[in-house]
Structures are given as C-alpha cells and as structure tokens.
Amino acid sequence: MASNFKFSIYRNSENIHIKLFGDFDGTSAFELINFLKESTEAVSKIFVHTSCLKRILPLGRDVFLSNLDFLRGDSPLLLLTGDEASGLVPRNNKHIQALSC
C-alpha cells in the first residue's frame, strides 16, 4: 500500500461515505475493495470521494476495476465523486456511477 494512503469512513443508517487520501496504488485498491466487500450489507449507497487523492496510479486503477464483480444483484449503488472518479468506473456495471460535482 502506498505509505500515504488512508481513508476515512462516515456511516449513517442507509449510506456509507468513504473519503480517500494519498496515492491510490494496487495495494490501496485491494484495501478499498476488501472494505467494500465487507460493507455492502444493509446500505443502499456507498459514496467514494476521490478529491483528496494525490495520484491514481495505473496499477491501482486496474486492480480496482478488475475486482468489482461482487457488485451485482441487490448490491448497493457505488457512487464515486471527484475529478478522477470517471476513470474508476467500469463499463457495463449498473451498480457503479461517477457523480459530477
């Protein structure tokens, strides 16, 4: 994991907000994916805020995009925000969207 990567979490009754900080590399992507896998029950939306990321490294993007297969069926909607959010949204997955701010 990038030494400066971390994320903060805010949860209310229906949603989770995750704010990412630092550099997003391959290990950081796995850390986020693992948290998302554990957090998909009992929420309708998960917001991932990317505006505080310094860099999204290509390996981080690739790892993230290739490990989202758990979002299907009755999974919550994953909403990504920030300037780089659209680069983290795979094609043909109705459970993931980028929000423009």
Side-chain angles (χ1 to χ4, degrees):
M1 176 177 63
S3 62
N4 65 351
F5 179 77
K6 62 181 178 176
F7 58 89
S8 64
I9 302 156
Y10 169 76
R11 184 178 195 141
N12 62 25
S13 60
E14 296 180 14
N15 303 317
I16 296 174
H17 290 262
I18 305 167
K19 191 170 188 176
L20 307 179
F21 301 89
D23 293 329
F24 192 70
D25 64 3
T27 308
S28 303
F30 274 122
E31 185 176 344
L32 177 59
I33 289 290
N34 288 333
F35 177 80
L36 292 171
K37 284 180 180 179
E38 296 169 4
S39 304
T40 57
E41 294 184 24
V43 295
S44 60
K45 295 177 185 166
I46 300 174
F47 294 86
V48 178
H49 305 282
T50 65
S51 60
C52 291
L53 285 174
K54 290 184 179 181
R55 295 184 300 163
I56 298 177
L57 300 170
L59 181 58
R61 178 178 284 116
D62 293 346
V63 167
F64 184 74
L65 291 173
S66 62
N67 285 283
L68 294 170
D69 57 337
F70 67 95
L71 293 172
R72 58 180 166 224
D74 60 351
S75 296
L77 185 60
L78 184 63
L79 300 163
L80 292 103
T81 69
D83 291 340
E84 300 293 326
S86 62
L88 293 174
V89 176
R91 294 185 178 129
N92 303 321
N93 189 324
K94 66 179 183 175
H95 293 288
I96 306 167
Q97 298 175 11
L99 296 177
S100 57
C101 297

